[in-house]
Amino acid sequence: MNLQTLPGLFISHGSPMLALNPEQVGPALNRLSLNLPVPQAIIVMSAHWESQSLEVSTGVRPETWHDFRGFPQELYEMRYPAPGHPELAETILHLFAEAHIPAHANSTRPRDHGVWMPLLHMYPDASIPVVEISLPMNMSAEEIYKVGQVLAPLRDQQVLLVGSGSITHNLRELSWDGNQSTVPEWASAFRNYVVSKLAHSDYDAVLDWSSIPFVQRNHPTIEHFAPLFFSMGTGTRFSVVHNSFSMGSLGMDIYRFD
């Protein structure tokens, strides 16, 4: 049986309200899933699991974690009961060991919204097993990129690799009342720079993230940008699946790496 290799993805997961108000990105995620072969499993590196060292979720059925405050009650009642995949988690740990990347099993980690929110739009029946890996904040961009490279061969086994973060993420600059329709130049220039470099296979320019114009204004902290480095490691052919902004300056881009 000749199965199509799945891509690696970078998904800007946006505000938790994406679950209730999909805007443009929800339908884009749904269309993307319909155009892909159904994965045997999904691996997600989320901006919302920061850790000291690399960790892998080995739980059989992780809880849905509502790791946010101040949103409508309806959001807290949502569940994404996709199973875990302990066997795949062990495979991941073995691949890291072979690559001399220290990593640890975590059997109790609940599933944060960086995982379940985009998957809610892609695979709403929650039937595909999901394994989450952490974002080690002591790793450099190049080291996170290598994590993606180490897991890239799993794409041939019908495993979907996802980095879940945001192409821009400055919450203090957002228009929470929805009145701002114009995208600020500092946000669009940053996004366009990153896309241009990736489109020209200049991955080094993106991994040198501290030199990207307007980086501090778009990412006062780096955790929502860093999952992109993981996604870049999963494939060498870049394409834009979706491009939009929400609340003025919150980039909602989706990128594909084949």
Side-chain angles (χ1 to χ4, degrees):
M1 185 175 181
N2 186 20
L3 298 174
Q4 181 181 339
T5 299
L6 285 164
L9 301 174
F10 174 73
I11 296 174
S12 299
H13 61 247
S15 158
M17 285 299 293
L18 178 67
L20 298 177
N21 181 17
E23 299 185 356
Q24 298 179 53
V25 74
L29 287 167
N30 181 253
R31 286 192 302 271
L32 174 59
S33 69
L34 295 175
N35 289 325
L36 293 174
V38 178
Q40 295 296 311
I42 304 168
I43 299 172
V44 184
M45 175 184 277
S46 167
H48 294 280
W49 186 5
E50 295 179 71
S51 62
Q52 291 302 311
S53 59
L54 186 58
E55 298 186 39
V56 179
S57 171
T58 59
V60 175
R61 193 168 291 275
E63 293 289 332
T64 302
W65 188 16
H66 303 85
D67 52 326
F68 41 76
R69 292 183 295 175
F71 290 91
Q73 181 59 32
E74 184 182 356
L75 195 55
Y76 298 94
E77 294 169 359
M78 288 185 167
R79 297 291 182 272
Y80 193 77
H85 198 321
E87 295 84 2
L88 176 59
E90 287 299 324
T91 298
I92 294 168
L93 288 165
H94 178 71
L95 288 171
F96 288 151
E98 286 189 327
H100 305 289
I101 298 174
H104 309 283
N106 185 323
S107 62
T108 61
R109 168 76 185 185
R111 202 167 270 154
D112 61 69
H113 77 274
V115 179
W116 64 263
M117 197 158 300
L119 295 185
L120 194 67
H121 295 286
M122 296 183 75
Y123 304 105
D125 61 357
S127 61
I128 300 171
V130 180
V131 174
E132 183 174 5
I133 63 174
S134 72
L135 174 61
M137 294 313 293
N138 62 340
M139 279 191 173
S140 67
E142 289 79 9
E143 288 169 328
I144 297 171
Y145 174 78
K146 183 180 178 182
V147 171
Q149 288 182 309
V150 168
L151 298 189
L154 294 174
R155 292 174 42 216
D156 294 327
Q157 302 176 31
Q158 297 300 102
V159 176
L160 183 66
L161 304 179
V162 178
S164 177
S166 191
I167 186 61
T168 67
H169 192 263
N170 186 338
L171 300 185
R172 292 187 177 184
E173 297 270 8
L174 298 185
S175 174
W176 290 95
D177 58 9
N179 290 332
Q180 183 176 343
S181 59
T182 303
V183 178
E185 193 270 340
W186 53 264
S188 60
F190 177 87
R191 180 264 173 198
N192 292 340
Y193 178 95
V194 171
V195 168
S196 174
K197 296 302 181 183
L198 292 174
H200 290 90
S201 300
D202 188 359
Y203 283 20
D204 287 342
V206 179
L207 294 175
D208 185 20
W209 59 269
S210 62
S211 299
I212 301 176
F214 303 109
V215 65
Q216 289 297 329
R217 190 147 187 202
N218 284 278
H219 292 282
T221 55
I222 198 63
E223 81 285 339
H224 274 73
F225 194 49
L228 175 60
F229 310 144
F230 167 76
S231 302
M232 289 163 55
T234 67
T236 58
R237 193 167 74 251
F238 165 81
S239 58
V240 177
V241 174
H242 173 76
N243 164 227
S244 66
F245 280 87
S246 177
M247 295 184 284
S249 62
L250 185 61
M252 298 302 299
D253 284 17
I254 305 169
Y255 304 147
R256 174 171 176 159
F257 296 87
D258 288 281

